[in-house]
């Protein structure tokens, strides 16, 4: 059994630390559970990944063991029928979570430092500083922030900012929806796997 890597830090919000501990602990428990049981409770690290290209939508199957390129399907008037045929031939993938992977031209990633005090209201702080740190205003983008590390000597936090223009993502999600594709997660290319954050707008999220 591995030791918990998370120790109590008195200079970090307790809620943040509890969230990190919960994510670590559930990850440890999932590693002990058979994959078929993880799928039953929606915990298996398995995704059907969509990527928009000039041919249509490219599909790949992402598992713990790696990614497998599958097929490219159209997004024209035949897109819905092609999707149904694909899932009929691959019934196991119909149970996998669907993730939309944005390419470099569809999203932006930036890393920067902020005062440690900003962690308490991180999203509000980044939203206020958006036009200074990026070419966009906060109301023009969907964004997520992930804390990379805490720099105690300078009392700063190192954060990753992931964003995509609202107009661009809305149009892409609507185009996918016409063919029946409704992603559970939207993330940027370059990440090993989805799940650390989600750029999917609330209006496109499936009902819980």
């Amino acid at each position: 059994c591995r030791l918990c890597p998370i120790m109590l830090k008195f200079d970090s919000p307790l809620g943040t630390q509890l969230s990190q501990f919960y994510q670590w602990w559930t990850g440890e428990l999932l590693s002990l559970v058979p994959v078929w049981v993880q799928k039953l409770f929606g915990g298996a690290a398995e995704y059907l990944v969509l990527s928009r290209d000039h041919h249509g939508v490219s599909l790949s199957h992402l598992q713990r063991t790696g990614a497998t390129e599958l097929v490219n399907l159209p997004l024209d008037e035949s897109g819905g029928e092609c999707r149904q045929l694909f899932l009929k031939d691959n019934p196991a993938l119909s149970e996998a979570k669907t993730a939309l992977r944005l390419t470099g031209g569809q999203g932006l990633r930036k890393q920067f430092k902020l005062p440690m005090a900003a962690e308490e209201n991180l999203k509000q702080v980044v939203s206020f500083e958006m036009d200074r740190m990026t070419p966009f205003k906060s109301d023009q983008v969907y964004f997520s922030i992930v804390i990379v590390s805490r720099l105690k000597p300078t009392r700063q936090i190192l954060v990753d900012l992931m964003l995509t223009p609202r107009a661009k993502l809305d149009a892409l999600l609507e185009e996918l929806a016409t063919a029946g594709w409704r992603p559970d997660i939207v993330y940027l290319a370059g990440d090993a796997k989805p799940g650390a954050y989600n750029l999917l707008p609330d209006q496109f999220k499936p009902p819980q």
Side-chain angles (χ1 to χ4, degrees), residues 1-7 21 24-25 28:
C1 180
R2 290 179 291 173
L3 294 177
C4 175
I6 299 174
M7 299 179 65
F21 175 79
W24 172 84
W25 180 243
E28 290 295 298

Side-chain angles (χ1 to χ4, degrees), residues 1-197:
C1 180
R2 290 179 291 173
L3 294 177
C4 175
I6 299 174
M7 299 179 65
L8 186 62
K9 301 175 183 177
F10 294 100
D11 57 352
S12 299
L14 181 60
T16 299
Q17 296 180 64
L18 291 175
S19 176
Q20 291 174 342
F21 175 79
Y22 175 77
Q23 292 174 10
W24 172 84
W25 180 243
T26 53
E28 290 295 298
L29 292 178
L30 281 175
S31 68
L32 303 176
V33 177
V35 172
W36 70 269
V37 177
Q38 295 182 38
K39 288 182 178 180
L40 184 63
F41 291 96
E46 182 177 2
Y47 297 90
L48 181 60
V49 179
L50 316 176
S51 296
R52 179 69 168 100
D53 57 31
H54 59 281
H55 295 297
V57 59
S58 176
L59 275 60
S60 59
H61 184 201
L62 179 61
Q63 299 174 282
R64 290 186 184 275
T65 54
T68 303
E69 299 297 326
L70 297 175
V71 68
N72 190 285
L73 298 179
L75 286 176
D76 55 18
E77 61 277 359
S78 66
E81 183 179 356
C82 291
R83 174 183 174 275
Q84 291 178 358
L85 290 174
F86 170 79
L87 293 178
K88 181 179 179 181
D89 292 338
N90 302 272
L93 293 179
S94 64
E95 301 300 322
K97 282 190 174 183
T98 304
L100 172 61
R101 181 175 56 208
L102 301 180
T103 63
Q106 298 168 329
L108 174 68
R109 184 195 310 271
K110 187 168 183 179
Q111 190 173 90
F112 53 91
K113 298 174 183 177
L114 288 172
M116 196 170 284
E119 187 174 350
E120 290 285 359
N121 298 288
L122 188 54
K123 190 160 188 175
Q124 292 89 333
V125 172
V126 172
S127 179
F128 183 75
E129 296 288 333
M130 185 69 69
D131 58 347
R132 186 178 65 84
M133 298 182 296
T134 75
F136 306 98
K137 295 181 178 179
S138 60
D139 60 357
Q140 295 177 315
V141 297
Y142 299 115
F143 69 96
S144 290
I145 316 114
V146 174
I147 297 177
V148 179
S149 62
R150 294 174 177 83
L151 312 173
K152 291 184 179 180
T154 59
R155 296 198 59 80
Q156 292 177 306
I157 53 175
L158 182 65
V159 301
D160 275 344
L161 169 66
M162 286 70 60
L163 63 85
T164 180
R166 291 186 178 224
K168 185 171 292 187
L169 183 57
D170 286 347
L172 177 54
L173 290 171
E174 289 170 0
E175 183 184 32
L176 290 170
T178 60
W181 298 110
R182 293 176 175 82
D184 301 292
I185 295 174
V186 177
Y187 73 111
L188 299 185
D191 293 322
K193 62 179 181 179
Y197 60 91

